[in-house]
């Protein structure tokens, strides 16, 4: 797609990080609705006073779900809890892209993979696993032990329309589907 921007949501208590690819800032409200649908309503939305984050549409959505809103002072990123986590995710995404040899167009897949790893593995700062903190259950990390980002994988050909006699196609592991198919 033509998306070049991502929205990040970070749970202050759980430390769970969710990312959504967007084409424009106007899609922020849709990502907020998706995040609430997938994770449940947060107690408070903390933002950096970006216009889209304090728009009337956002305020109406928050009001309807009784979610508080708090904005940091402009240019004072240290007041925004998510800003530090964003720097961590960005740095790790760039490192994984560099070390895996994945092409630049895979940036969002890589960012989603990094968030998945951070959400499903032990965080020494909080002495817990973020997803366990959020859900109360220990997450399955089997896919993280079995595959690494941009690993070459072979998968069965659905139908053999080509003259190629191979029953397999080659692809790359780009992350774990959290909402489709079996757990592994």
């Amino acid at each position: 797609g033509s998306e070049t921007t991502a929205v990040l949501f970070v749970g202050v208590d759980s430390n769970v990080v969710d990312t959504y690819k967007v084409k424009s800032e106007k899609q922020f409200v849709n990502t907020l609705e998706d995040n609430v649908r997938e994770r449940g309503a947060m107690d408070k939305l903390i933002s950096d006073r970006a216009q889209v984050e304090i728009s009337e549409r956002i305020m109406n959505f928050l009001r309807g779900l009784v979610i508080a809103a708090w904005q940091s002072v402009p240019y004072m990123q240290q007041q925004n809890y998510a800003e530090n986590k964003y720097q961590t995710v960005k740095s790790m995404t760039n490192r994984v892209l560099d070390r895996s040899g994945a092409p630049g167009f895979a940036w969002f897949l890589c960012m989603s993979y990094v968030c998945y790893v951070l959400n499903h593995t032990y965080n020494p700062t909080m002495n817990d696993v973020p997803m366990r903190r959020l859900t109360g259950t220990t997450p399955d990390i089997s896919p993280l032990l079995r595959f690494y980002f941009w690993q070459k994988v072979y998968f069965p050909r659905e139908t053999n329309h080509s003259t190629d006699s191979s029953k397999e196609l080659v692809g790359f592991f780009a992350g774990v589907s959290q909402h489709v198919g079996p757990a592994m």
Side-chain angles (χ1 to χ4, degrees):
S2 61
E3 297 87 348
T4 58
T5 306
V7 173
L8 224 64
F9 291 97
V10 180
V12 174
D13 295 329
S14 68
N15 220 14
V16 168
V17 186
D18 292 312
T19 186
Y20 300 87
K21 186 164 45 168
V22 295
K23 290 182 181 179
S24 75
E25 287 185 346
K26 292 178 184 175
Q27 290 178 291
F28 177 77
V29 70
N30 304 106
T31 63
L32 177 60
E33 290 168 340
D34 287 344
N35 192 259
V36 168
R37 185 176 49 82
E38 292 167 11
R39 300 282 189 212
M42 62 280 293
D43 296 326
K44 183 188 303 182
L45 179 67
I46 301 172
S47 70
D48 61 1
R49 289 202 62 80
Q51 278 308 117
V52 70
E53 295 168 1
I54 58 173
S55 69
E56 185 176 347
R57 187 167 175 206
I58 294 292
M59 289 303 146
N60 287 339
F61 176 76
L62 297 176
R63 198 175 295 115
L65 294 175
V66 193
I67 298 172
W70 184 87
Q71 291 85 37
S72 60
V73 175
Y75 308 108
M76 300 291 281
Q77 289 88 352
Q78 73 276 9
Q79 291 182 349
N80 188 335
Y81 181 80
E83 198 60 44
N84 184 41
K85 185 56 78 172
Y86 168 74
Q87 293 302 326
T88 300
V89 169
K90 182 179 174 183
S91 166
M92 289 178 74
T93 298
N94 287 330
R95 191 173 318 124
V96 171
L97 282 171
D98 288 346
R99 292 184 181 173
S100 67
F105 68 77
W107 71 270
F108 184 75
L109 294 170
C110 187
M111 181 178 277
S112 298
Y113 173 79
V114 165
C115 290
Y116 185 90
V117 170
L118 290 172
N119 290 343
H120 289 79
T121 56
Y122 183 77
N123 180 327
T125 304
M126 59 188 278
N127 256 355
D128 205 351
V129 176
M131 285 304 290
R132 181 171 48 210
R133 176 79 57 96
L134 180 67
T135 65
T137 59
T138 302
D140 179 15
I141 62 165
S142 301
L144 298 175
L145 300 175
R146 179 97 171 115
F147 301 102
Y148 57 87
F149 187 77
W150 219 249
Q151 176 182 356
K152 188 182 286 190
V153 293
Y154 296 90
F155 58 96
R157 186 185 295 267
E158 296 260 343
T159 55
N160 199 354
H161 292 297
S162 71
T163 56
D164 185 6
S165 62
S166 173
K167 293 180 181 166
E168 296 178 323
L169 294 171
V170 178
F172 296 92
F173 178 77
V176 179
S177 175
Q178 298 179 66
H179 306 293
V180 179
M184 173 86 167

